Amino acid sequence: AQSVTQLGSHVSVSEGALVLLRCNYSSSVPPYLFWYVQYPNKGLQLLLKYTSAATLVKGINGFEAEFKKSETSFHLTKPSAHMSDAAEYFCAVSEGRGTYKYIFGTGTRLKVLA
Amino acid sequence: SAVISQKPSRDICQRGTSLTIQCQVDSQVTMMFWYRQQPGQSLTLIATANQGSEATYESGFVIDKFPISRPNLTFSTLTVSNMSPEDSSIYLCSVGTGGANEQFFGPGTRLTVL
């Protein structure tokens, strides 16, 4: 069965600094990987998705993630943090092709310091 | 994508009572999901609700506690029955759509049980 691990439940960065949020999946290659963002008191919004078409995936709001099979990772990055990026970020993996069932990571809360 | 609304957005309930949460989608979708997000936690799948069939519950969740209806392709309800303070959570519905198994989430219902 698939699993996903997010290292760091809380990450703080200064405004303008690089954002790096870590996500590792289980050893079997998942068909699809996702990053979602949850702003305070809101539902989840899809940031980006990996579908095997390209290892570097660009998403909304300047975020991107790189799929690295050798490291079983799908880390989320943004070159320059903005105050509005403060939110909870969830990595998720689909259980397999043909299913919409996800396994979610435990989430990383991003704090952006002025 | 899909636009999803939930009612109510929040509620405060007394223990022993029941609350029905509604989820409305702006397009016809086959697969809908209900999640629970306990305070400070990640998302846990409660059940999958496909139109025309009984909901499929995940381990730890039972129909008597969380009855689900799915009368058509744009609507579903989740009832939280005989509530206790441990049921205080955010409840989110999502729909599965798109070629890459994307899920789109509603804004959530924030439930507090006293």
Side-chain angles (χ1 to χ4, degrees):
Chain A
Q2 293 285 353
S3 65
V4 59
T5 303
Q6 290 184 244
L7 295 176
S9 59
H10 292 80
V11 170
S12 293
V13 299
S14 298
E15 190 174 20
L18 171 72
V19 176
L20 171 61
L21 304 182
R22 300 177 186 274
C23 174
N24 288 86
Y25 59 90
S26 60
S27 58
S28 59
V29 178
Y32 305 118
L33 286 156
F34 307 88
W35 274 100
Y36 283 86
V37 60
Q38 185 178 34
Y39 297 103
N41 300 315
K42 301 290 185 183
L44 274 70
Q45 181 182 9
L46 179 64
L47 270 179
L48 49 81
K49 62 192 179 198
Y50 166 74
T51 63
S52 76
T55 56
L56 182 62
V57 181
K58 295 188 183 298
I60 62 172
N61 301 340
F63 284 93
E64 63 181 36
E66 186 172 7
F67 175 77
K68 291 187 177 180
K69 184 179 178 180
S70 61
E71 300 177 6
T72 63
S73 69
F74 189 58
H75 301 332
L76 182 70
T77 60
K78 182 174 180 177
S80 177
H82 191 272
M83 298 297 289
S84 61
D85 294 326
E88 185 96 21
Y89 292 81
F90 293 95
C91 182
V93 59
S94 66
E95 282 203 338
R97 281 190 200 281
T99 174
Y100 286 95
K101 287 184 67 174
Y102 286 7
I103 304 298
F104 277 92
T106 51
T108 297
R109 184 169 297 276
L110 176 66
K111 186 175 181 179
V112 182
L113 307 172
Chain B
S1 66
V3 178
I4 304 162
S5 60
Q6 286 185 233
K7 290 182 180 179
S9 59
R10 59 178 62 229
D11 207 342
I12 300 174
C13 301
Q14 299 296 319
R15 71 169 63 215
T17 63
S18 298
L19 176 72
T20 296
I21 303 168
Q22 299 178 8
C23 179
Q24 180 76 51
V25 189
D26 69 341
S27 57
Q28 294 184 336
V29 293
T30 300
M31 306 193 72
M32 294 182 76
F33 304 89
W34 286 99
Y35 288 86
R36 181 175 71 182
Q37 186 180 21
Q38 294 177 301
Q41 303 294 317
S42 186
L43 282 76
T44 302
L45 181 64
I46 297 172
T48 302
N50 293 341
Q51 198 271 335
S53 62
E54 295 292 319
T56 302
Y57 289 83
E58 297 299 304
S59 177
F61 297 96
V62 295
I63 187 171
D64 289 346
K65 176 67 175 176
F66 297 101
I68 289 171
S69 77
R70 183 75 202 275
N72 57 53
L73 290 173
T74 63
F75 187 78
S76 178
T77 66
L78 169 76
T79 298
V80 186
S81 303
N82 188 25
M83 288 184 286
S84 67
E86 292 70 35
D87 294 319
S88 297
S89 295
I90 300 172
Y91 292 86
L92 299 110
C93 70
S94 73
V95 301
T97 185
N101 291 21
E102 297 108 300
Q103 286 189 37
F104 296 93
F105 286 81
T109 296
R110 187 178 296 272
L111 171 62
T112 302
V113 184
L114 304 177

